[in-house]
Amino acid sequence: MAEPERRDLQIRRADDSLLTVEIYDRKVGSPDQALMVLQGSACNTTQSLAWFDQVLREASTRWVVVVAKDASSDAGVCGPGYEAHATEEARWFDHLSAARRLKQELKLRDHGAFQLLAVSAGGLTACAMAGASEDVSALALLSTGGGLTFRDELEILTKGDPKFAEQRLRIQSDPRLGKTWMGQTNPEIWWWSVLGKRCLPLLDGYRGAVLVVHGVKDTSTPIESARTLVRGLEARGVEVSDIELPTEHDLGTKDLPPEENGLGRALAWLKGELNREAENPLLSAEPTPAFDP
């Protein structure tokens, strides 16, 4: 495969800041759909993500797109200005705005134009986008949890440590600008915006396919959260597949062959969804209106 060509799309926000959307043209693959990649809570540039090259190699769509984080860096540290657009709701709006513009710029299909590949905390944004739009045909969630709130996940990971719980309660009620929590990449204002949220209710009404991939040794997002998400989606009648791997949070991307790690398994699943849709045009048809006035 030839080296993908990159160009950036700039979208102006209400405060006159610019949202950057990275567009990678692979020259091969389905031309009327795009794979949107949503990274986790770190402020890494796309080029500093070691696993992103695998996405570009193995994606099935011609287009791979990324909504860049403001003030990102190769070191993954959030720079000045990040906090202004760091809350989850702001990120959700950015992605929905980007999807609308990308459909126009790339001449994507009217319905089901995007496959979503979300990693870690990016899953919350992906679930919000899938639940709020008819533009998502398939959703792959890697190490995202999503069945429990961030608050409950932290309770499991810290085993109810009272000092940790006290700090968490303070951030829930009084997030401080310019301060981080649990590492330089996690501003308090971001934690304030996610602690009470989970994926499951955001996916009410979503009728596309979902894949959940999680490591049983994950110490960043407990596997109980992923299992709860799978059970909840099954109860709603959503078509959901799940893969559990004997790995940590990185799903083996550092030490397993590409076809065996969680990312490779997810990309293969997305390719299967794309092929299945091509074989059955009804899957990509416009949704039937709920009523005829």
Side-chain angles (χ1 to χ4, degrees):
M1 186 188 80
E3 189 73 19
E5 291 183 5
R6 173 185 165 177
R7 64 183 175 93
D8 290 347
L9 174 67
Q10 304 285 340
I11 300 175
R12 193 168 296 280
R13 298 189 181 101
D15 62 359
D16 258 357
S17 64
L18 291 175
L19 171 66
T20 299
V21 184
E22 301 169 10
I23 302 172
Y24 296 85
D25 184 355
R26 301 174 60 251
K27 306 295 184 182
V28 295
S30 176
D32 65 343
Q33 284 185 299
L35 174 63
M36 182 177 284
V37 179
L38 300 92
Q39 71 180 83
S41 59
C43 285
N44 288 83
T45 57
T46 308
Q47 291 68 38
S48 66
L49 297 170
W51 48 266
F52 189 69
D53 283 344
Q54 185 178 349
V55 175
L56 292 178
R57 288 194 310 271
E58 301 175 22
S60 300
T61 58
R62 174 176 173 178
W63 312 101
V64 174
V65 297
V66 180
V67 177
K69 285 193 174 182
D70 291 26
S72 57
S73 67
D74 289 345
V77 178
C78 306
Y82 172 71
E83 286 176 314
H85 308 101
T87 64
E88 268 302 297
E89 286 83 355
R91 198 174 184 208
W92 297 354
F93 188 79
D94 279 351
H95 279 75
L96 288 167
S97 298
R100 180 176 178 274
R101 285 286 303 277
L102 285 164
K103 284 178 67 176
Q104 297 169 349
E105 293 284 330
L106 303 179
K107 297 180 172 56
L108 303 179
R109 61 174 61 178
D110 289 336
H111 174 66
F114 296 93
Q115 294 186 329
L116 303 186
L117 176 68
V119 177
S120 192
L124 203 54
T125 299
C127 290
M129 185 174 171
S133 169
E134 296 290 350
D135 285 330
V136 179
S137 62
L139 172 63
L141 301 171
L142 281 62
S143 301
T144 65
L148 305 176
T149 64
F150 273 61
R151 179 180 57 242
D152 291 340
E153 290 175 355
L154 290 173
E155 185 76 11
I156 292 172
L157 294 173
T158 61
K159 298 179 171 58
D161 179 83
K163 290 184 179 179
F164 189 92
E166 182 180 351
Q167 190 177 27
R168 188 200 72 224
L169 286 170
R170 196 272 300 163
I171 289 172
Q172 282 185 256
S173 61
D174 182 29
R176 297 168 184 171
L177 291 175
K179 299 292 184 180
T180 60
W181 188 43
M182 296 176 64
Q184 288 180 300
T185 64
N186 300 285
E188 287 191 6
I189 192 68
W190 178 78
W191 280 108
W192 169 83
S193 75
V194 300
L195 281 169
K197 293 183 174 64
R198 60 185 180 136
C199 263
L200 196 53
L202 292 170
L203 290 173
D204 281 349
Y206 175 67
R207 290 297 176 262
V210 179
L211 172 69
V212 177
V213 187
H214 213 92
V216 295
K217 300 176 184 177
D218 195 330
T219 54
S220 294
T221 307
I223 195 166
E224 293 92 334
S225 186
R227 290 170 175 168
T228 301
L229 176 65
V230 170
R231 290 194 298 269
L233 292 174
E234 289 174 338
R236 286 163 166 76
V238 175
E239 181 185 342
V240 58
S241 305
D242 69 298
I243 298 172
E244 293 187 3
L245 297 173
T247 65
E248 240 285 1
H249 195 62
D250 73 338
L251 296 174
T253 53
K254 295 176 183 176
D255 49 25
L256 289 179
E259 68 275 9
E260 295 179 19
N261 67 41
L263 180 59
R265 301 280 294 272
L267 290 165
W269 178 83
L270 288 167
K271 181 178 181 180
E273 287 301 308
L274 204 65
N275 291 340
R276 188 168 70 100
E277 191 175 300
E279 293 168 1
N280 185 357
L282 291 177
L283 292 175
S284 59
E286 292 291 335
T288 302
F291 65 93
D292 186 8

